Amino acid sequence: QVQLLESGGGLVQTGGSLTLSCAASGTGFVIYAMGWYRQAPGKQRELVASITRGYVTNYADSVKGRFTISRDNAKNTANLQMNSLEPEDTATYYCNAKTFDGYVHNYWGQGTQVTVSS
């Protein structure tokens, strides 16, 4: 089992920056991908950014050039640096971790709120 603990959400003005952090804990696992998803009220959860164990990244078009995902494999942590924030970025952000043992297992954090005021 993998437990994910998120931190770093908050309230920021348009154009501001925030960094989200996610730390994975547990034993007997290897995380092959970590990512951040977000869900705004009335909308589906969507991928924001992901990063593999080999540091291959993937971003939603809406955040390319503004957000940067990074990870530390030794510490099982992942950060999301968010710059030039817009009101449309307001959502609950969830950390995701994937492990593989013949099957893909998804683990989720409890979510952290990001609110961007105009």
Side-chain angles (χ1 to χ4, degrees):
Q1 281 284 53
V2 177
Q3 293 82 42
L4 300 176
L5 181 62
E6 302 137 334
S7 61
L11 173 64
V12 66
Q13 291 186 331
T14 297
S17 299
L18 283 174
T19 300
L20 304 182
S21 298
C22 177
S25 62
T27 60
F29 63 87
V30 175
I31 297 174
Y32 76 86
M34 297 187 76
W36 288 93
Y37 290 69
R38 66 187 180 188
Q39 187 167 18
K43 295 187 177 181
Q44 289 188 331
R45 189 174 296 189
E46 62 175 0
L47 173 69
V48 176
S50 64
I51 185 167
T52 68
R53 192 167 184 83
Y55 306 105
V56 176
T57 59
N58 182 43
Y59 294 94
D61 287 343
S62 60
V63 307
K64 284 181 180 176
R66 300 188 297 124
F67 291 10
T68 302
I69 190 169
S70 60
R71 70 182 285 178
D72 185 324
N73 288 335
K75 296 181 179 179
N76 281 319
T77 58
N79 290 339
L80 184 68
Q81 174 66 44
M82 304 185 294
N83 298 325
S84 302
L85 283 161
E86 304 167 351
E88 293 73 23
D89 296 315
T90 295
T92 301
Y93 284 69
Y94 297 90
C95 180
N96 171 266
K98 300 184 189 298
T99 63
F100 182 76
D101 61 0
Y103 299 91
V104 175
H105 299 275
N106 276 289
Y107 298 92
W108 295 93
Q110 291 191 327
T112 184
Q113 180 66 35
V114 171
T115 302
V116 184
S117 62
S118 57

